[in-house]
Amino acid sequence: MRNDASTQIIKQLCKDILLPLGVFQKGTSRIYIDDNGYFFTVLEFQPSAYAKGTYLNTALHFLWNERDHLSFDFPFESRGKNFVEYQNDEQFTHEVTKYVQEAAKQVMFYRKLQDIETAKSYVKKWLQKHKGNPQIDELNTINHLHDEEVLQKIKQTRAFWRSKPSMKKMKNYDTFDV
């Protein structure tokens, strides 16, 4: 990742706003992760190939999916909208501060889903609004979160991620860690 002014501003704002919440940076990337046991909230400050700046992409990455890459299993409306182009430090800092504050709000909201009953209630409401959405099967796995097969997948996936140098700051969860 090139080390330009826009990247430095993003990293400083995330350091000031997200890191105190327990969110951690994945290596030296523009990806920040909030570890919630059976899922990560993934915050990506995505650069553009055409202009200096950032998009904010936010999603949940479910750890029952045994993948060797982060995925946007349950993306939110912020995914890929509203590019903030870098014009100067002051303008970019002002606009990206709003993004980072929004990301912090989303982190705090989705932490509520650590509680399985809260997650089930939220998913039930979401499913009622989004009938026919392909994410329905994915979200229904929450109803089986304590099944041995699902727990084993989560534990294996957490062990995989924990083995990566860029993910050493993951939290420890008695239920989900080996």
Side-chain angles (χ1 to χ4, degrees), residues 153-170:
K153 287 180 179 181
I154 293 169
K155 288 177 181 183
Q156 289 171 347
T157 304
R158 288 187 65 77
F160 166 79
W161 282 112
R162 193 174 299 285
S163 73
K164 303 295 177 194
S166 62
M167 300 291 282
K168 295 292 183 195
K169 294 184 180 175
M170 287 174 59

Side-chain angles (χ1 to χ4, degrees), residues 1-176:
M1 174 65 50
R2 62 181 193 246
N3 210 1
D4 61 31
S6 64
T7 297
Q8 290 307 308
I9 290 169
I10 292 167
K11 287 182 178 186
Q12 186 61 52
L13 289 169
C14 289
K15 181 180 177 183
D16 295 345
I17 297 170
L18 296 177
L19 272 55
L21 299 176
V23 175
F24 66 91
Q25 182 180 8
K26 182 179 180 287
T28 59
S29 72
R30 285 182 168 194
I31 296 173
Y32 292 80
I33 295 173
D34 188 46
D35 181 1
N36 292 282
Y38 70 93
F39 70 93
F40 295 148
T41 302
V42 181
L43 310 164
E44 177 189 36
F45 294 88
Q46 177 189 352
S48 169
Y50 305 104
K52 194 177 357 176
T54 192
Y55 295 96
L56 172 60
N57 300 319
T58 306
L60 297 186
H61 171 82
F62 295 116
L63 297 176
W64 56 71
N65 293 320
E66 299 170 290
R67 296 188 180 115
D68 64 354
H69 62 279
L70 289 173
S71 58
F72 290 110
D73 298 330
F74 188 69
F76 304 107
E77 289 136 18
S78 64
R79 178 140 170 85
K81 74 174 188 180
N82 297 332
F83 180 73
V84 174
E85 186 171 358
Y86 177 90
Q87 296 166 1
N88 61 58
D89 286 0
E90 184 178 335
Q91 162 271 335
F92 193 72
T93 299
H94 176 74
E95 291 184 47
V96 174
T97 296
K98 293 177 190 174
Y99 267 9
V100 178
Q101 289 170 337
E102 176 59 31
K105 286 180 190 172
Q106 290 179 9
V107 161
M108 298 311 291
F109 176 80
Y110 289 103
R111 280 184 179 173
K112 296 175 189 176
L113 300 183
Q114 289 179 28
D115 175 75
I116 303 307
E117 293 308 312
T118 301
K120 287 178 181 179
S121 174
Y122 177 78
V123 166
K124 184 177 178 182
K125 289 176 190 171
W126 192 90
L127 294 175
Q128 289 172 346
K129 284 193 226 174
H130 298 87
K131 290 182 178 156
N133 189 299
Q135 293 166 326
I136 288 175
D137 290 340
E138 182 75 47
L139 293 174
N140 275 328
T141 302
I142 290 173
N143 292 319
H144 303 282
L145 202 54
H146 291 294
D147 292 1
E148 191 55 40
E149 181 182 344
V150 175
L151 277 173
Q152 228 15 65
K153 287 180 179 181
I154 293 169
K155 288 177 181 183
Q156 289 171 347
T157 304
R158 288 187 65 77
F160 166 79
W161 282 112
R162 193 174 299 285
S163 73
K164 303 295 177 194
S166 62
M167 300 291 282
K168 295 292 183 195
K169 294 184 180 175
M170 287 174 59
K171 297 175 187 170
N172 288 309
Y173 289 90
D174 291 339
T175 306
F176 302 114

